[in-house]
Amino acid sequence: MSDFLNELNQSQKQAVQHTEGPLMVIAGAGSGKTRVLTYRIANLISKAIDPFNILALTFTNKAAKEMRERINQLIGSEAQNLWMGTFHSIFSKILRYESDKLNYPQNFTIYDSADSKNLIKSIVKELNLDKDIYKPNVILGRISSLKNNLISYKAYMSNTTLQAEDSSRKLNEMAMVYRTYQNRLFTSGSMDFDDLLFNTHILLRDFPETLNKYQNKFKYILVDEYQDTNQVQYMIVKRLAAMNENICVVGDDAQSIYAFRGANIQNILNFKNDYPDFCTVKLEQNYRSTQTIVNAANSVIKNNKNQIKKTVFSKNGVGDIIKVCKTMSDNEEGQIVGQSIFETQMNNQCFFNEFAILYRTNAQSRSLEESLRRRNIPYKIYGGLSFYQRKEVKDLLAYFRLLINPSDEESLKRIINYPARGIGTTTIQKLIVCSRTNKVSIWECIENPFYHPRIGVNNGTLQKLKAFALMMNSFKVQLQEDAFILAESIAKSSTLLKELDKDKTPEGVSRYENVQELLNAIKEFVEKNKKVGEPYTLDYFMQDVALITDQDNDNKDNFNKVTMMTIHAAKGLEFPYVYIVGLEENLFPSQLAVHSREELEEERRLFYVALTRAKKKIQLSYATSRWRWGQLTDCEPSRFLQEIDEEFLDWQYQTKRNFQTKTKGIPFRDNTNKLFVKPNRPKTKFIPKQVPTFLTKANAAMSKVGSENTKNQQLQAGMRVNHERFGKGKILQIEGLSDNKKAIIFFDGLGQKTLLLKFAKLDIIA
């Protein structure tokens, strides 16, 4: 034990060895919080604490897996007995043990967001509501917010204030939708992700003996990323820790960026009020980034008033100064980023997966993608459609889910006629009516002959329903067998594999391969669980799949590609080279977040997170004009650029900073770890830098603007023109004035497009 404790710095060691009583660990970016959590658990087990009595909660399966592997390396196989996992996975495990208390089946289905949205679509249609107002995203977001604030549909229906809020948004029937949604989930023996938290809270609140059971079980509780917990997570953890108060929370208030998901920064800020005898340990040494990056991030976050004070420092060397690029447009911004990645990769002979482009909104990716494609730079947009959300994968999973839980209505509707077996929409509607009228599941209407006359279908259709039920029941007898054998049998016997194999297009082949990959995943699950003595049946595999998050999908085919993602998605990741784009007012910070101090401070924390993803180099950029909502708008540089102390910035391709700043002394630590203030540097004269070749060409092209304007004035409706990218076409209409003059052109073979003339570069043919 003493050996691995020597691997820790003094603050980390203090956090690991303080085992009794409440402890709050404030972990700055890159300060080794995962190491502290890992070593703390190893330390507890080395002191003869039973692993079964330790609860460790994380936000991703990936984080839990990494911690478990590290603990295994430190102390051996005892880590297998830990209750370690995401909030959702741990709470779903508890709910399966205690399901009878809440009148749920032990094998309840977990709905992901796609399943929930499909259910909401069905409810909106059944209630004859306006689908343009009752959009699935809006409704699901509202229900999620209510659940995360512990507001049931019954509480909502008696709360006139909440209903008035929704009525002001024309959601007058929100109470009915919420109630129907919850009742439909309950009837189907299903829970959505928010129910896993909400129902655990109900379980611990309404059943004192159950609460006492888990309070005695979890004598030591550890919570990762505590600043990201919402109200219901906070309440559950507080209840579980109330008996022993051996609770350790690890987090960083400066990285609290998920308020839109319900995260409440007050949970970490008020820890001292919940546990007055608490101890605080601050992890302030950043092992990830250079001194310049750390100091730049510090100079930004110090502008937040609502925070726990700390001084993050680095001993990794000073590092390169941060480049700031002013560009004329978002397209030029994309060119600069693409060229910089190309040159850096060539000069340093590094991999493309060492680069990340971070932006505030997904919509910003277009110009960046175009720039990377032109240079043949491979890239991956993080947060795209995950493997388990692809249609063909969800189709096979729906067979599994229905087999495990026959009451799962959404799964049944998904696969009852896929592959096609002559059970059409009319029949499905009759099944739904039979189900609602008799207050039983659709499956029971199909399987139980008592309900067959009530369905109201002809004998031919009834035989097809019976054949479907017979097929599913034949699978049921194999439920306790090897998950892979059963899954492969379902894929073949249902003719799903045969159906996919008919399509020989590249897309069709890809869909077939995705199903094969799912079967491979099940095979891997079986082999792994056999080795460690864990169950390897299909229901256990489905429990794991239902709780996979986007961050847990680590696709091998993404190796050596530039990563593009929103800053929210980048939290917890790190890259040697980081490009933060779109640093403009009303974009970053968002125009929706500048009306209150709380919202603005969250945006500043988001920028802090972006800066601290970088290990070696950062490049910041902003455009003076950008296409937004179909309009070319003028942009101003973000206030966050002004907040970075000037000595850490290198303004590229411009002669001066665009706004006034004050350069203050920056506290930092030297190699002796002594804190002192670096004196202000005297301002130096600007020395023009050599402009990259691609910008020189761009500037040369700008000198031709006068001649382009003359040509544009000659353009008229009816003329034939040529465009270097779209080819030949005919001008249908000219509209607008001066710089905003546009041409509507019908291009041969491409169709109609609208082009801004000052950028279009059209050649008149006739």
Side-chain angles (χ1 to χ4, degrees), residues 235-274:
M235 289 298 297
I236 293 171
V237 170
K238 190 175 181 183
R239 285 181 188 276
L240 289 174
M243 178 179 290
N244 299 295
E245 291 199 348
N246 292 325
I247 177 171
C248 169
V249 300
V250 180
D252 182 6
D253 59 298
Q255 297 185 68
S256 178
I257 59 173
Y258 292 125
F260 69 97
R261 292 184 188 169
N264 187 355
I265 192 174
Q266 295 304 320
N267 292 347
I268 193 167
L269 296 178
N270 291 336
F271 188 81
K272 59 186 178 183
N273 299 328
D274 293 331

Side-chain angles (χ1 to χ4, degrees), residues 83-95:
W83 277 62
M84 177 187 291
T86 64
F87 284 88
H88 293 92
S89 66
I90 293 295
F91 296 163
S92 70
K93 190 175 179 180
I94 292 174
L95 287 170

